[in-house]
Amino acid sequence: ISNMSQLLSEELLDIQKMAREFAETKLRPISKEWDLIGDTPLDLYRKAAELGYTSLDIPESMGGAGLGALASSLMSEEFGKADAGFATTIQSSNLALIPVLLAGTQEQKKFASDIVVSGGLASFCLTEPNAGSDAGSIRTKAVKQNGEYIINGRKCFITNAPHSQFYVVFAKTDMDAGTRGISAFLVERDRSGLSIGKHEDKMGIRLSTTADVLLENVHVPEDHLLGKEGRGFHLAMQTLDRTRLECAAISTGIAQRALDLSIDYAKTRVTFGKPIAKLQAIQFMLADMEIRCQTARSLVYECARLVDSGTVNGKMNAIAKAYASEAAMQNALDAVQILSGYGYSREYEAEKLMRDAKIFMIFEGTNQIQRVVIAGHLLKD
Ligand code: COS
């Protein structure tokens, strides 16, 4: 597929191959059915966890495989080719785990890692009805009282919410301190007062579930605070700086699948007495799709290698996320155009790629926010 693979180690090539096989033989066959249902196939998720796919980048000391960001990105691309919603489910559990690994105590890290490694799901709860891009203006409150925090508020568009076993909840512990008044908490599913609200009936990534998380007088002991009081916003930003890379990797998978479908179709579809692949109009579209795939993949590999060498580069990960998601969207649109009538039919896969691609330009920070982040880095002193 990619001559970039030549630069991968034997170990990474093996991981890529196994992930591809799992995605093609286990995930793709059920993708269409579950896309109609609009829920996460939990049995397959557990199977993926048993094989280590939910914990490739979790340190060995926490029970994960400790294989790093590049291994995880390779898997995300392969899973993204078969079903981006399923890939999102896995990476969203990791999105909830990362702030725990970054700021948690040993007990908190162990608690959360055990869940994710053994196939449990988890949710990162930042967004609220009135605070999406402007994450600093959340209104969920956590009040300290008698050795506990009492949390009240409502989170929305929370990935995995109905199936999660723990939630990382961002809340204000000081209403007057702006982003410095935000703290992060580890909240278990069975805490009284925590409930799951409206299930979002989404356009795409329908194997990933999304719902509101309601917190009504949820009491958590003081030791459920993650990191220091007032450092929650910083922690959320640090987490997103890292996880946007996985969005880019899944997007690369969508972009590649759109190209693969287009090539197969163009070689076999005959018009005016020859396959449409012979038409320069189609060839130029295919070439542009390939340029986007290779560029997105290069960015993902580069950023993942940076992470594995100990540097999470927020600017580069934002570039990768913005570029790869736009590549996925454009390639999916082009695949629908090339397959034309068949592209528009729900019987075939191209229209699903188009529906799945769009969210990658929206979640984990819209692509406008990625540009805010990139410009912020450019203009920093
Ligand atoms: N890493 C660590 N700290 C960061 C940071 C980063 N990447 N970005 C900002 N911060 C810190 C700043 O240093 C500042 O800290 P101090 O108070 O110590 O000075 C603080 O956070 C506030 O920074 P800033 O003033 O830049 O925050 P803004 O409210 O202007 O918001 C953006 C900045 C827009 C970048 C932020 O709100 C954002 O990322 N929004 C999108 C949220 C998102 O991705 N949501 C999706 C949710 S998950 S699906």
Side-chain angles (χ1 to χ4, degrees), residues 93-282:
S93 294
N94 279 275
L95 166 65
L97 179 61
I98 285 176
V100 185
L101 294 179
L102 284 171
T105 60
Q106 204 55 24
E107 289 74 31
Q108 290 170 335
K109 288 188 208 176
K110 174 112 182 55
F111 167 81
S113 300
D114 281 354
I115 288 176
V116 177
V117 170
S118 63
L121 280 73
S123 296
F124 180 85
C125 305
L126 178 63
T127 301
E128 297 183 5
N130 294 304
S133 292
D134 182 9
S137 59
I138 56 169
R139 290 190 204 149
T140 295
K141 234 198 245 185
V143 177
K144 201 168 174 177
Q145 210 177 312
N146 305 326
E148 290 184 323
Y149 286 93
I150 304 166
I151 309 175
N152 275 288
R154 177 174 155 213
K155 298 290 176 179
C156 68
F157 300 130
I158 302 303
T159 308
N160 291 351
H163 302 304
S164 285
Q165 290 180 30
F166 74 86
Y167 303 80
V168 170
V169 175
F170 294 88
K172 288 222 160 135
T173 39
D174 182 343
M175 296 307 276
D176 304 318
T179 54
R180 291 187 183 200
I182 295 174
S183 306
F185 297 90
L186 191 55
V187 183
E188 304 93 328
R189 175 70 180 94
D190 54 7
R191 286 273 156 201
S192 149
L194 185 147
S195 61
I196 306 304
K198 188 168 69 73
H199 168 260
E200 299 294 341
D201 188 11
K202 302 193 299 299
M203 172 197 283
I205 60 159
R206 292 172 56 82
L207 274 72
S208 147
T209 47
T210 311
D212 284 3
V213 173
L214 309 166
L215 301 129
E216 290 165 296
N217 289 322
V218 176
H219 290 238
V220 292
E222 240 173 25
D223 65 5
H224 282 42
L225 174 71
L226 273 177
K228 292 200 174 75
E229 244 192 43
R231 299 301 289 162
F233 188 78
H234 184 268
L235 184 58
M237 294 297 110
Q238 247 188 313
T239 301
L240 292 166
D241 273 348
R242 162 68 185 85
T243 56
R244 284 170 182 152
L245 172 57
E246 298 300 339
C247 283
I250 302 171
S251 300
T252 305
I254 298 175
Q256 184 66 52
R257 180 67 182 162
L259 174 57
D260 293 346
L261 289 179
S262 301
I263 292 172
D264 286 350
Y265 184 79
K267 280 179 168 172
T268 51
R269 172 70 177 181
V270 174
T271 23
F272 304 109
K274 56 184 176 193
I276 60 169
K278 297 270 185 213
L279 302 170
Q280 202 176 49
I282 299 293

Side-chain angles (χ1 to χ4, degrees), residues 325-342:
S325 59
E326 286 161 24
M329 190 72 237
Q330 191 57 52
N331 280 15
L333 285 168
D334 287 354
V336 169
Q337 188 68 20
I338 290 170
L339 274 73
S340 44
Y342 299 105

Side-chain angles (χ1 to χ4, degrees), residues 289-341:
M289 291 165 89
E290 171 71 351
I291 291 170
R292 288 189 283 268
C293 285
Q294 294 288 354
T295 310
R297 189 174 296 113
S298 306
L299 280 166
V300 168
Y301 286 16
E302 169 80 4
C303 291
R305 287 186 170 115
L306 277 170
V307 173
D308 287 338
S309 69
T311 311
V312 175
N313 187 317
K315 182 184 80 173
M316 288 307 294
N317 286 353
I319 291 173
K321 191 269 189 192
Y323 183 85
S325 59
E326 286 161 24
M329 190 72 237
Q330 191 57 52
N331 280 15
L333 285 168
D334 287 354
V336 169
Q337 188 68 20
I338 290 170
L339 274 73
S340 44

